[in-house]
Amino acid sequence: MDDRPMMRALRGETLPVPPVWMMRQAGRYLPEYRAVRARARTFLDLCYTPELATEVTLQPIRRFGFDAAILFADILLVPHALGANLVFVEGEGPRLSTVTTPDDLARLAPADAVHSTLAPVYETVRQVRAALPAEVPLIGFAGAPWTVATYMIAGRGTPDQAPARLLAYRDPETFDALIERIIAATSGYLLAQVAAGAEIVKLFDSWAGALPGPLFHRYAVEPARRIAQAVRAAYPEVPVIGFPRGAGAGYASFAAAAGVQALALDTSVDATWAARELQPQLCVQGNLDPLLLVAGGPALDRGTRATVAAFAGGPHVFNLGHGITPEADPANVERMLRAIRGAQG
Amino acid sequence: MDDRPMMRALRGETLPVPPVWMMRQAGRYLPEYRAVRARARTFLDLCYTPELATEVTLQPIRRFGFDAAILFADILLVPHALGANLVFVEGEGPRLSTVTTPDDLARLAPADAVHSTLAPVYETVRQVRAALPAEVPLIGFAGAPWTVATYMIAGRGTPDQAPARLLAYRDPETFDALIERIIAATSGYLLAQVAAGAEIVKLFDSWAGALPGPLFHRYAVEPARRIAQAVRAAYPEVPVIGFPRGAGAGYASFAAAAGVQALALDTSVDATWAARELQPQLCVQGNLDPLLLVAGGPALDRGTRATVAAFAGGPHVFNLGHGITPEADPANVERMLRAIRGAQG
């Protein structure tokens, strides 16, 4: 049995001190990240250059001693590998060619053709796993199909994912075919990450909260269930973390039906509710407000200790409720770690 | 006893056909609204000119025969009346002078000084009530304190309300004092609307979903409870509708503790969950995806009928889960009404 704290928590064990890592722990709040970023011409180059992606993946482990590393990559690499043009515009976010018609869909690559484009990601996984201390597991990840589809349909980030919702209403056949393509590509992508050395996988459904109630099961729970099943069928020992961000009460139905081993909770989730409704079923991960790493001070200490205490009765991986922001102070990350590890350990 | 369908549903009666109105029913999707808007120099002028505000309030009642009218105004009139500079920039949204320090707070007007600025709103309420058919109740409204505070602190709309969350962490005294000022001003504002003829009031907490879990009770539930209590103490027959948009599972604690008579559900809320967890306690309102009024067709019919059916077992006011968008087709509103009123009545 793998007795690393992260693996024990994900198996459902209640630990005296929760393992901890942070979403976007390899990111712009770290000066050493910004230095490596400056060596790549574009953000995509950074994702596809194994030596650079490996280096930024390892940086937060060296600096903070987190209990898990997470592959440095982007959720839009799958659409890119399916044939979408993709650029990241500084200060504006991603721009992609759009998929809104059967013809657009027909121009995409088949799901099993993504691996040539994604090969550098698998190489990053291999290099990270080789360089990482044995006691630190490596998390692979992908975007969930609904969230990935919102970008592919709109060609960019949108405040309310309206273009994707409209396509689902107006042309459900095309929408469903796109979701199917992404499910297949994502399953293959995650299986290849595990084959290369990832020991945990996480599925980021960043815009799950924009799904209307009647579509949540079909487009958030079901795709996650199928992808988790594909991973677990081949690798029964690899835990899958779901993250239906903004799902609200939908977290409960996701926990019951998606077949994941852990649920990442967004910042808005009430910890008392989650401890009562979700934690008896599976490990929860979260959910400190990342802005507390900007604010610092006693508010950070109180918030950290309250999160640890709220989830102390069941399996818990400490994390933020959303990615750490560029404005966060690395000294506040140290302070958070002292509050976690000093709180009970 | 007031036997108008809207009042019966809000009192907790289950009706064979739910009463229906739409958030932002007086809005840009209507050509007759755009014609009146063109007669006002600015959006604020439209809000503060009783004859124009009255006309746009009445337009959707004439065209569609909705079961309730809602005052035409804006949630930022309260900060404006408290002394904030406020302009609406075409295509960009509101810009306000910010309140982030004790000095800024000291420059705001006292809560009971808002009425001179807001007098034209009360005059609109009087004119609407006089012109409205007796069988159509008039809804007054205000922004909830947290949501109003997010604009006052940031000076504009923000994607994640980060400036307000940061102030709550860094300077809780100033933040709490601002919330108190808004609670007091909002209570007085709603009482004056009722005195002028509003028969129902609604509190819009559009950004409740951005509150971190540990702050939800304090900054969403408690302010709503106190404002609802102020209204009900003076006017026990006036129902209060709460709308903690994006609250997720927090809808349940809001229902239990805020003392409101109805809860407006946002688009993401699962109707089956809400029918089971919320409707036994109070009337629910919602929650068709407003994009279905853009998409139209069989998807609109199905979505409308499914919403009616999901809430048929308890008190329900049919509405959208968010405001109708400018791109919506008025013919689709007619189609929605046929599906509601033909579905069961």
Side-chain angles (χ1 to χ4, degrees):
Chain A
M1 239 9 180
D2 190 331
D3 66 353
R4 293 174 293 180
M6 183 77 184
M7 305 310 282
R8 291 175 60 193
L10 292 174
R11 274 203 309 271
E13 286 186 46
T14 303
L15 303 179
V17 177
V20 52
W21 66 282
M22 297 193 311
M23 287 191 274
R24 262 187 234 149
Q25 62 190 19
R28 284 191 285 155
Y29 75 105
L30 287 178
E32 60 268 35
Y33 170 89
R34 296 194 296 270
V36 175
R37 172 68 187 84
R39 289 165 55 197
R41 195 176 53 87
T42 67
F43 180 75
L44 263 188
D45 284 349
L46 178 57
C47 293
Y48 285 135
T49 307
E51 65 179 2
L52 300 183
T54 296
E55 171 59 19
V56 298
T57 299
L58 296 170
Q59 285 170 344
I61 307 304
R62 287 192 207 112
R63 187 193 264 255
F64 300 116
F66 286 125
D67 293 289
I70 183 163
L71 168 67
F72 185 84
D74 191 86
I75 64 166
L76 297 183
L77 300 188
V78 164
H80 186 238
L82 284 170
N85 289 317
L86 171 64
V87 291
F88 288 86
V89 182
E90 207 65 46
E92 294 192 30
R95 295 289 180 278
L96 297 79
S97 47
T98 59
V99 178
T100 61
T101 66
D103 282 354
D104 294 337
L105 202 63
R107 275 190 293 271
L108 290 182
D112 56 8
V114 297
H115 302 294
S116 56
T117 304
L118 297 171
V121 178
Y122 310 148
E123 177 57 24
T124 300
V125 172
R126 276 186 288 273
Q127 292 189 17
V128 170
R129 186 56 273 170
L132 204 57
E135 67 269 23
V136 180
L138 173 60
I139 306 169
F141 78 93
W146 157 250
T147 289
V148 170
T150 67
Y151 290 94
M152 294 181 79
I153 292 163
R156 58 197 297 162
T158 52
D160 54 5
Q161 292 71 54
R165 284 152 64 203
L166 269 175
L167 187 67
Y169 292 136
R170 286 176 162 158
D171 186 354
E173 291 74 19
T174 299
F175 185 82
D176 285 357
L178 177 60
I179 293 286
E180 287 297 321
R181 187 77 59 99
I182 303 170
I183 290 173
T186 303
S187 299
Y189 180 47
L190 290 174
L191 286 169
Q193 289 183 29
V194 175
E199 299 157 281
I200 299 163
V201 299
K202 182 169 174 185
L203 206 50
F204 285 81
D205 212 351
S206 307
W207 300 124
L211 276 166
L215 301 184
F216 181 75
H217 186 84
R218 179 166 186 161
Y219 295 124
V221 177
E222 269 299 298
R225 187 188 64 73
R226 289 173 54 194
I227 292 168
Q229 190 171 51
V231 171
R232 302 277 292 177
Y235 301 100
E237 75 288 3
V238 171
V240 179
I241 306 173
F243 185 28
R245 187 163 76 94
Y251 266 107
S253 50
F254 194 98
V260 298
Q261 285 63 57
L263 259 186
L265 309 178
D266 66 72
T267 307
S268 76
V269 174
D270 179 65
T272 308
W273 177 83
R276 188 180 68 232
E277 301 290 332
L278 307 177
Q279 223 179 3
Q281 299 170 65
L282 79 187
C283 178
V284 295
Q285 176 179 287
N287 70 341
L288 191 75
D289 188 344
L291 288 187
L292 282 167
L293 296 173
V294 180
L300 171 59
D301 298 337
R302 275 195 305 270
T304 303
R305 288 201 201 98
T307 300
V308 171
F311 294 119
H316 178 219
V317 173
F318 192 99
N319 205 309
L320 310 179
H322 194 12
I324 187 169
T325 63
E327 300 75 23
D329 183 346
N332 285 333
V333 177
E334 301 276 11
R335 185 170 183 150
M336 176 190 81
L337 289 170
R338 284 194 300 274
I340 297 168
R341 292 170 173 165
Q344 303 193 317
Chain B
M1 239 8 180
D2 190 332
D3 66 354
R4 293 174 292 180
M6 184 77 185
M7 306 310 283
R8 291 175 60 192
L10 293 173
R11 273 203 310 271
E13 285 186 46
T14 303
L15 303 180
V17 177
V20 53
W21 66 282
M22 298 192 311
M23 287 191 275
R24 263 187 234 148
Q25 61 190 19
R28 284 191 285 154
Y29 75 106
L30 288 178
E32 60 266 38
Y33 170 90
R34 296 194 298 269
V36 174
R37 172 69 187 84
R39 290 165 54 196
R41 196 176 54 86
T42 68
F43 179 75
L44 263 188
D45 285 349
L46 178 56
C47 294
Y48 284 136
T49 306
E51 65 180 3
L52 300 183
T54 297
E55 171 59 19
V56 298
T57 300
L58 296 171
Q59 284 170 346
I61 307 303
R62 285 192 210 113
R63 188 193 264 255
F64 300 115
F66 286 126
D67 292 290
I70 183 163
L71 169 68
F72 185 84
D74 190 88
I75 64 166
L76 298 183
L77 300 187
V78 164
H80 186 238
L82 284 170
N85 290 315
L86 172 63
V87 289
F88 287 85
V89 182
E90 207 65 46
E92 294 193 31
R95 295 290 181 275
L96 297 81
S97 48
T98 59
V99 178
T100 60
T101 67
D103 283 354
D104 294 337
L105 202 61
R107 275 191 293 271
L108 290 182
D112 56 9
V114 296
H115 302 294
S116 55
T117 304
L118 297 170
V121 177
Y122 311 147
E123 177 57 23
T124 300
V125 171
R126 275 186 289 273
Q127 293 189 16
V128 170
R129 188 54 275 169
L132 205 56
E135 66 269 22
V136 181
L138 173 60
I139 305 170
F141 78 92
W146 157 251
T147 289
V148 170
T150 65
Y151 289 96
M152 295 181 79
I153 292 163
R156 59 195 300 163
T158 52
D160 54 3
Q161 293 70 55
R165 283 151 64 201
L166 269 174
L167 187 67
Y169 291 136
R170 285 175 162 158
D171 186 354
E173 291 75 17
T174 299
F175 184 82
D176 286 356
L178 177 60
I179 293 285
E180 287 296 321
R181 188 74 60 97
I182 304 170
I183 289 173
T186 303
S187 299
Y189 179 47
L190 291 174
L191 286 168
Q193 289 183 30
V194 175
E199 299 158 281
I200 298 162
V201 299
K202 181 167 174 185
L203 207 50
F204 285 81
D205 212 351
S206 308
W207 301 123
L211 276 166
L215 301 184
F216 181 76
H217 187 84
R218 179 166 187 163
Y219 295 124
V221 178
E222 268 298 297
R225 188 189 64 74
R226 288 173 54 195
I227 292 167
Q229 191 172 51
V231 170
R232 301 277 293 178
Y235 300 101
E237 76 287 3
V238 171
V240 179
I241 306 173
F243 185 29
R245 187 163 75 93
Y251 266 107
S253 50
F254 195 99
V260 298
Q261 284 63 56
L263 261 186
L265 309 179
D266 66 72
T267 308
S268 75
V269 174
D270 178 66
T272 308
W273 177 84
R276 188 180 68 230
E277 301 290 332
L278 307 176
Q279 222 179 3
Q281 301 170 65
L282 80 187
C283 178
V284 296
Q285 176 179 288
N287 71 339
L288 190 76
D289 187 344
L291 288 187
L292 282 168
L293 296 173
V294 180
L300 171 59
D301 297 337
R302 275 194 305 270
T304 303
R305 289 202 201 98
T307 301
V308 170
F311 294 121
H316 178 219
V317 173
F318 192 99
N319 206 309
L320 310 179
H322 195 13
I324 186 168
T325 63
E327 298 76 25
D329 183 346
N332 284 334
V333 177
E334 301 277 10
R335 184 170 183 150
M336 175 190 82
L337 288 170
R338 283 195 301 274
I340 297 168
R341 293 172 172 164
Q344 303 194 319

